[in-house]
Amino acid sequence: MQSRKVIKKNRCFSLDFKLELVRLFELGKFSVSELSKLYGVSFPLIYRWIYKHSKYQEKGYRIIEMKQSSTSKIKALEQKVKDLERLVGQKQIKIDFLNEMIDVASQEFNIDIKKKPSTPPSSGSKKSAKS
């Protein structure tokens, strides 16, 4: 068997092509990973073009991409927190209302409705032994 040499093909990309990829990234139409998959160009190469040709990026700063799903997930979680806070507020209002009703009932009817810690637990609803 003969040893084969693998010939690497160096691809040269035109300046227009590089600028187009940088422009697509800057507009937010595609992420670096999407551009890499679409055009068959490696991540580091695209990042190098962004650092070199972008008007927004400067050398020494790291680009952090947030996926669309991550932002929508964060928004959904923030909405869930707001809903839960609203629900807790409603429950607290209900608790305050019921406590006030208990106080009014105990004052008007002179009945102590609140359970005291020394009160023995109820026997429940057992059937009476009548024969």
Side-chain angles (χ1 to χ4, degrees):
M1 291 198 167
Q2 298 177 351
S3 62
R4 293 184 177 179
K5 279 190 174 182
V6 178
I7 301 173
K8 287 187 177 182
K9 295 181 181 179
N10 288 335
R11 297 187 295 172
C12 289
F13 297 99
S14 69
L15 182 60
D16 292 336
F17 178 76
K18 295 175 187 178
L19 293 175
E20 180 62 21
L21 263 63
V22 170
R23 187 184 69 77
L24 289 172
F25 174 76
E26 286 177 345
L27 291 175
K29 291 186 177 182
F30 298 102
S31 66
V32 173
S33 62
E34 291 170 338
L35 289 171
S36 177
K37 290 175 186 173
L38 283 172
Y39 295 100
V41 180
S42 67
F43 290 96
L45 191 55
I46 295 174
Y47 279 114
R48 198 175 320 142
W49 294 345
I50 291 170
Y51 286 130
K52 188 174 181 180
H53 300 291
S54 176
K55 51 188 161 195
Y56 302 113
Q57 305 300 329
E58 296 180 19
K59 193 74 171 171
Y61 291 96
R62 177 171 280 173
I63 300 171
I64 298 174
E65 293 182 59
M66 186 171 255
K67 298 274 186 208
Q68 200 63 275
S69 62
S70 298
T71 56
S72 62
K73 188 182 248 185
I74 289 172
K75 287 181 182 178
L77 289 173
E78 287 173 347
Q79 184 61 40
K80 188 172 184 178
V81 167
K82 287 179 185 176
D83 292 343
L84 290 173
E85 286 175 344
R86 183 179 45 76
L87 188 63
V88 167
Q90 289 174 348
K91 295 293 182 184
Q92 187 60 47
I93 291 171
K94 188 173 182 178
I95 289 170
D96 293 342
F97 174 76
L98 292 174
N99 283 335
E100 187 66 29
M101 291 297 293
I102 289 171
D103 292 341
V104 168
S106 64
Q107 287 173 1
E108 288 195 20
F109 299 114
N110 209 14
I111 302 171
D112 192 17
I113 298 173
K114 289 186 180 178
K115 186 174 182 178
K116 296 179 183 172
S118 62
T119 307
S122 69
S123 61
S125 58
K126 294 182 182 177
K127 292 183 179 180
S128 60
K130 291 183 179 178
S131 304

